[in-house]
Amino acid sequence: MRLGELDIPNILSTCKLLESLHLTYCDSGIHSVLQVEHALLVELEVDYGKFERIELICLPKLQRVSYTGWYSHEDPLHFGFVPQLSKLSLTKTGISSDKTLELTMFLANVPSITDLHLGFRSEKIWVLPECPKLLTTTLSKLQHVNLDNLPEGCDLAWTIFILEAAPSLKALCITVWDHWCIMATDKEFRKENGFCEKDDVKWKPYAPAFKHKNLAKLIIHGFQPDGNFMRYIRCVVEAAVNMAEISLHDRKMCGRCGDLDPEIKDKVCPSRYPYTAEERKRAVDGLGLALPALIHFPS
């Protein structure tokens, strides 16, 4: 639905008791700018509009923002006065021309974020692993992080930058999954539309011996007993001195993936998730952790 330039501001000014606003496939024109002001709005969710950006001007009660599939190649949101904003969810299929998101700049005005969800839809990682010294003030209150649909086969080490920069972090959840039924699979289409080939994110630890005192829970969906996951878990546990629980799940399931073209199905690597007691013991022994009882296999 393409609305007039003033339609959404008129809705906001007329509906004075509005607490939740969801815009799905709505905008005010390609590359339009949406400015949002409202005294009582608590939740804003935007899916697949073609806004150039959304400016959150003055929203004193706003607590939750979710933005999926923004159109612009620039930062999708501008944060003005949002003193209560605590939950932020961003999901995008990244392509080569997209700007890499720098959290130090993007979240400079919102140090109140406690829950952060970043969804990559099995494609390009569009967030920059930054120096933790620059990020610590911005992420000082962050407690829960969910990194969703990271591409399979790529190094996970870059995600450690969040641990280094978020001293209050309590739980880290990552999902590694090539979700084929939402991915562009035709080679020519991918090339013409700027999709990237798989590549490791360049990153190095800024403080190799750093310790994290608050991280207590690590959740991994898509766990496979290979070197990539094993190294990552050891690295996180070595840093998180008060780790209490490590939950290792198999890949997530999707009913639609069963209808994939046979040629695509042939590309799907079978899961090697440990289901038997013997396989799980072998995986735990391979990790070599001092407290193997921390590890759980819920799948």
Side-chain angles (χ1 to χ4, degrees), residues 11 31 51 54 71 91 117 146 159 181 227 246 249 258 260 265 293:
I11 291 171
H31 298 305
F51 296 107
I54 297 176
Y71 181 75
T91 300
H117 173 278
N146 189 340
T159 65
C181 72
I246 302 171
H249 301 253
L260 288 172
K265 285 185 179 181

Side-chain angles (χ1 to χ4, degrees), residues 21-33:
L21 176 62
H22 292 198
L23 300 173
T24 303
Y25 289 99
C26 292
D27 56 54
S28 301
I30 297 176
H31 298 305
S32 56
V33 175

Side-chain angles (χ1 to χ4, degrees), residues 111-113 135-143 165-169:
S112 55
I113 298 293
L135 262 178
T136 297
T137 301
T138 303
L139 302 184
S140 63
K141 296 183 180 180
L142 191 61
Q143 297 183 18
S168 300
L169 191 67

Side-chain angles (χ1 to χ4, degrees), residues 223-238:
F223 170 76
Q224 302 290 287
D226 59 25
N228 187 22
F229 283 96
M230 296 298 208
R231 285 191 303 272
Y232 180 71
I233 294 169
R234 289 191 207 104
C235 185
V236 172
V237 172
E238 184 178 347

Side-chain angles (χ1 to χ4, degrees), residues 157-263:
W158 67 271
T159 65
I160 299 294
F161 90 94
I162 294 178
L163 271 68
E164 293 181 329
S168 300
L169 191 67
K170 295 179 180 179
L172 172 63
C173 177
I174 70 170
T175 297
V176 180
W177 188 19
D178 283 350
H179 190 181
W180 288 97
C181 72
I182 67 168
M183 296 170 65
T185 55
D186 182 80
K187 289 185 179 180
E188 287 301 317
F189 179 86
R190 291 182 65 86
K191 184 177 180 180
E192 292 172 1
N193 289 275
F195 285 87
C196 304
E197 297 301 317
K198 286 187 179 182
D199 193 16
D200 292 337
V201 177
K202 301 296 185 289
W203 172 86
K204 63 178 181 179
Y206 285 89
F210 95 103
K211 300 299 178 185
H212 198 289
K213 297 180 180 179
N214 289 307
L215 186 66
K217 193 170 186 178
L218 173 64
I219 305 165
I220 297 178
H221 293 272
F223 170 76
Q224 302 290 287
D226 59 25
N228 187 22
F229 283 96
M230 296 298 208
R231 285 191 303 272
Y232 180 71
I233 294 169
R234 289 191 207 104
C235 185
V236 172
V237 172
E238 184 178 347
V241 295
N242 292 313
M243 180 65 70
E245 180 182 345
I246 302 171
S247 295
L248 305 178
H249 301 253
D250 198 356
R251 291 172 183 156
K252 291 184 176 180
M253 301 296 292
C254 169
R256 294 180 298 169
C257 286
D259 298 325
L260 288 172
D261 186 282
E263 290 186 9

